[in-house]
Amino acid sequence: MAQTSVAPSSPGARAVSRDLRRSIGFWGLTFISLGSIIGSGWLLGALFAAEAAGPASLISWVLAACMLMVLALIHAELGTSYPVAGGTARFPYFAFGTLAGFTAGWAAYLQAVTIAPIEVEASISYLDSTHWAQEHLVLLHPNGTLNAAGLLVATVAMLLFTIINLLGAKLLSDSNTAVVIWKAAVPVLAVIVIITLQFHGSNFTAGGGFAPYGAHGIFAALPLGVVFALQGFEQAVQMGGEARNPQKDISRAIITAMLIGAAIYIALEIAFIGGLAPSNLVHGWANPIGEGDFGPYYTIAIAAGAGWLATILLIDAVISPGGTGLIYLGTSARLSYALGEEEVLPDRLTHTNKRGVPWYSVLLAFVIGELVFLPFPSWSSLVALVTGATAIMYAFAPVSLAALQRQEPDRPRPYRLPYPKLLNPIGFIAANLIIYWGGFEAMWKLLTAIFIGRVVFEIALRRSKDVRRSDIDWRAASWIWPWLIGMTIIGLLGQYGNGAHLAIGEWWDLATVVIFSLVIFYYAVSLAMEPEKIDAAIKSDERQLEHLEELNLPG
């Protein structure tokens, strides 16, 4: 999971990325991406994947890794060809104008603003699994949702994040190698200890066989924590404007981080399945560690007699999600600040206090984070929404790259995506399949949130002094709403998530997503802005980024 920025909208001015200090090398970029990939997803991802797919959840991890690797390679070419800060929103802007850049930036904001709540819920889930909590402070209902005490603890955590951000404690969130090594070392240690002390090979065929829920379960597991756990590789792209040698290092850093992250998560799933008590699987995979228990590795460590490992896991369950939540509340504030600077959200969001903190933006992130707890009171209920928002953000990349390759064929590209005519559409299909597997319920909520953002955009545009902004290319961005609405309709008629009508049969639904994705992909590429407009966008000054570098905020 990573921070992003919004697109620029001041054609003709000097590119701000040239003003950023280029000081991050290959390993720095690798640790930035790896630190984003290894987050709270490892704490709970294996549990929910196994519940959905049984031992075949291993296939889910491999499938997700392959799909995200394609998207990572696409981001690698974009990042090396256009080494700018906040690339995930700027690439769509370069290809399709401000409206596309805003939509991608808004999707990034929706993702970022929900990260702090989901990290808090992950920590609470683990803490609630301890014997002390079960006896003295129960924080969850049996179904894993926050009870009144859990909601109070979650609110306190969010308030703590908010206060730290308002104080401008930027140093607390600076990435460093030691933190990333800790985050990677703890899950690796858990794998080694569990496999050594308690591993049952028979578990891989127990509870209905290797794939008790068939292909449907394998696909359904992806948005239940698998994709969420593996996402975040694009963080190295976001830092493109500060990379020492972006053309050489960004692609290698992304690929290295993805390979390490995928290997760790697959090993974690193997250790989790093998470490379960066989008696828990007699009746299937519905509750592999016990009903109401949401601390999978903690529970296995206790059962294996490794109380010291259980203690380390509890410490990590607070430190890692807590640090991520702190950073992402600040990231959300930076995003809303940047959108306000871009005059696509109210400019009040750009007001800063004496410490250089945009306090309206920080408070907005807190309020939205608190509201998120109400309809999504558990980690599992929120993870599909975060995954969907991230997939929408990712989906802009292959379309943007294909459009920019077509409109700027002579641009120097230090790293070139292999087989671009094949992998670009595959990347778009992969992102749309992730959106679809997330289910209709998550998609219609995301569509509603994006529509609200679009309304706010229109209001801000009408109130702006420059109503006829030259950087808004309505035609180039005209594919976005047919795409989002179409994916929502397919989700309504498909097989996944609450509210789906099951009108399209198994496998036919996947074929429908593939065909629809290809139609939208080639239609979108045909609408790309003219080379002159693209050149003007690339050379434009992203004035909000100049201000963002001065903000005393994490991220």
Side-chain angles (χ1 to χ4, degrees), residues 343-366:
E343 296 182 340
V344 295
L345 285 183
D347 60 5
R348 186 178 295 271
L349 295 173
T350 65
H351 293 182
T352 57
N353 61 18
K354 294 180 180 180
R355 298 177 180 270
V357 176
W359 62 285
Y360 278 111
S361 291
V362 172
L363 292 178
L364 178 64
F366 167 75

Side-chain angles (χ1 to χ4, degrees), residues 264-555:
I264 289 175
Y265 279 118
I266 291 171
L268 280 165
E269 188 72 49
I270 292 173
F272 173 71
I273 294 173
L276 293 169
S279 58
N280 288 354
L281 306 178
V282 173
H283 300 293
W285 289 86
N287 297 296
I289 59 171
E291 187 175 359
D293 191 337
F294 297 95
Y297 297 105
Y298 172 83
T299 300
I300 292 175
I302 292 294
W308 60 271
L309 175 61
T311 301
I312 292 175
L313 291 173
L314 286 178
I315 295 172
D316 185 67
V318 174
I319 292 177
S320 291
T324 302
L326 168 65
I327 291 174
Y328 267 86
L329 190 137
T331 295
S332 304
R334 289 168 71 92
L335 281 163
S336 57
Y337 174 94
L339 290 166
E341 276 288 315
E342 197 62 25
E343 296 182 340
V344 295
L345 285 183
D347 60 5
R348 186 178 295 271
L349 295 173
T350 65
H351 293 182
T352 57
N353 61 18
K354 294 180 180 180
R355 298 177 180 270
V357 176
W359 62 285
Y360 278 111
S361 291
V362 172
L363 292 178
L364 178 64
F366 167 75
V367 170
I368 294 178
E370 281 293 292
L371 292 175
V372 163
F373 287 131
L374 300 179
F376 303 101
S378 69
W379 190 89
S380 59
S381 64
L382 184 53
V383 70
L385 189 78
V386 176
T387 300
T390 306
I392 290 173
M393 181 179 73
Y394 284 166
F396 278 97
V399 180
S400 300
L401 179 58
L404 292 168
Q405 287 172 332
R406 175 185 175 183
Q407 301 298 81
E408 288 199 310
D410 299 326
R411 183 176 184 85
R413 300 180 183 277
Y415 172 81
R416 290 184 178 272
L417 176 73
Y419 310 107
K421 292 185 178 180
L422 176 65
L423 291 187
N424 273 324
I426 286 178
F428 190 65
I429 291 170
N432 282 324
L433 284 172
I434 293 170
I435 294 170
Y436 170 67
W437 288 326
F440 168 70
E441 185 177 24
M443 187 56 202
W444 79 257
K445 291 175 181 177
L446 283 170
L447 184 71
T448 302
I450 293 173
F451 176 76
I452 291 172
R454 185 71 168 81
V455 170
V456 175
F457 175 90
E458 285 294 329
I459 294 173
L461 182 63
R462 295 293 176 256
R463 296 180 63 182
S464 174
K465 296 178 181 178
D466 183 13
V467 177
R468 297 185 179 131
R469 292 171 53 157
S470 60
D471 58 350
I472 296 181
D473 193 318
W474 301 100
R475 179 181 178 275
S478 62
W479 60 274
I480 296 175
W481 278 103
W483 162 49
L484 295 174
I485 294 173
M487 285 303 303
T488 306
I489 293 174
I490 293 174
L492 175 65
L493 301 176
Q495 295 282 327
Y496 295 84
N498 295 331
H501 286 199
L502 312 181
I504 307 176
E506 293 275 6
W507 299 108
W508 288 106
D509 57 338
L510 304 189
T512 302
V513 173
V514 170
I515 294 171
F516 177 74
S517 299
L518 291 174
V519 171
I520 293 295
F521 177 86
Y522 290 110
Y523 174 62
V525 172
S526 71
L527 296 177
M529 296 193 301
E530 296 83 0
E532 297 78 14
K533 290 186 177 181
I534 292 176
D535 185 64
I538 292 172
K539 294 177 179 177
S540 67
D541 176 17
E542 203 169 5
R543 59 190 168 94
Q544 76 274 16
L545 281 180
E546 291 180 327
H547 298 162
L548 283 172
E549 289 303 309
E550 300 169 359
L551 292 183
N552 193 11
L553 273 179

